[in-house]
Amino acid sequence: MPFTTTHLRLISPLIHPYSRSIRSLVSANTKRFRLSASSAAMDSNSSCVLVLSGKSLAENEIAESLKSNSTLKLPDNSEVSIHLQSEIVKQESFDVELFMNSLATNRFGRLLIWSPRLPSTHDVVSHNFCELPVGAVCVADVQFKGRGRSKNAWESPKGCLMFSFTIQMEDGRVVPLLQYVASLALTEAIKDVCSRDGLPCLDIKIKWPNDLYLNGIKVGGILCTSTYRTKKFNVSIGIGLNVNNEEPTTCLNAVLRKLSDSTYQFQREDVIAAFFNKFETFYDTFINQGFQSLEELYYKTWLHSGQRVIIQEKNEDQVVENVVTIQGLTSSGYLLAMGDDNQMCELHPDGNSLDFFKGLIRRKLQ
């Protein structure tokens, strides 16, 4: 039976309608901008505002070049308004200073593209990949065309942490494993924030291949896409995490309030900085030592060790059900399972089911 590699699904745990408008007020004397929100609905065809900033002088010079050359584009060629963070008088949402001060990386997250409202952060980084430095990140307060399965477009509400960033790899065999490194980095980053600030631990779990669950409820997801150019894989990683939005499911702060009397709240800026700090460490380990060096921690975090799964297979005109037990991951990133006959097999998603565990295809391993 032929098998093909499919893009694994994402992104948004965040399926909730929300509308917001942005107005830029320009002072003729200072040429500085104030970004604010109004209660009126924003037309999705309006200009998208992108605000650029950097961790150091080097990244700020890149930001200035991107602005002066009007480099950044959207896939549909809709209008883009580019500004520098230094031009912003007041920004009522993402705290760039808090993010940059919390960031302790050498590569990832150091060039920031922030927007009050975007079709998709993933489209920004993937469409402009070759114009951006590796590790550049795009963050949006509201996202109205987040990528989902079956070409669905989702509006993700205020309070969600939605971001995408760039990475470049040479070995295509390990690219599928990158989403697991990102998932693990996010769960461990949240634990780090809890430990640092003396909070109850939020034990976020990974549902293969790319969903994040808290107390049995989905709160996040990962999307990895890649293209191959000039002997390298250009990978865009998108992450959605419910931080401060209780709808449509739950969020980190809602669960925290049930566990603690503290008035502390997770901030998106703090979480994303903690993620990049952890991801950079995990990524270096992954590249230098392979994913097996992270497997033990990954298996402690995922939901599936020893899980029994029913596989439906066609045998002539009949559908036969077989039960297998999940053992771990194969070297290619698929599920490794054992049948009741002790035969090892690799499980692939069929690409049709919204729940991967209801659409698995078995391939026997020799």
Side-chain angles (χ1 to χ4, degrees), residues 96-116:
V96 174
E97 184 177 2
L98 173 59
F99 166 66
M100 290 298 181
N101 287 342
S102 302
L103 189 69
T105 61
N106 294 318
R107 286 162 292 168
F108 296 107
R110 295 178 63 89
L111 177 69
L112 170 69
I113 305 168
W114 169 78
S115 178

Side-chain angles (χ1 to χ4, degrees), residues 81 87 101 114 148 160 168 200 212 304 309 321 328:
S81 178
E87 299 170 340
N101 287 342
W114 169 78
C160 299
Q168 203 166 54
L212 303 174
H304 309 299
V309 179
E321 291 188 347

Side-chain angles (χ1 to χ4, degrees), residues 309-356:
V309 179
I310 297 175
I311 306 298
Q312 293 184 334
E313 298 174 306
K314 281 190 175 182
N315 184 3
E316 296 181 351
D317 294 333
Q318 293 183 328
V319 176
V320 178
E321 291 188 347
N322 293 291
V323 179
V324 298
T325 302
I326 296 175
Q327 306 294 312
L329 294 172
T330 66
S331 60
S332 56
Y334 291 111
L335 291 175
L336 177 66
M338 178 185 292
D340 289 341
D341 58 359
N342 293 325
Q343 173 70 48
M344 300 299 292
C345 60
E346 185 177 66
L347 304 182
H348 295 238
D350 68 358
N352 297 316
S353 175
L354 288 175
D355 186 339
F356 278 103

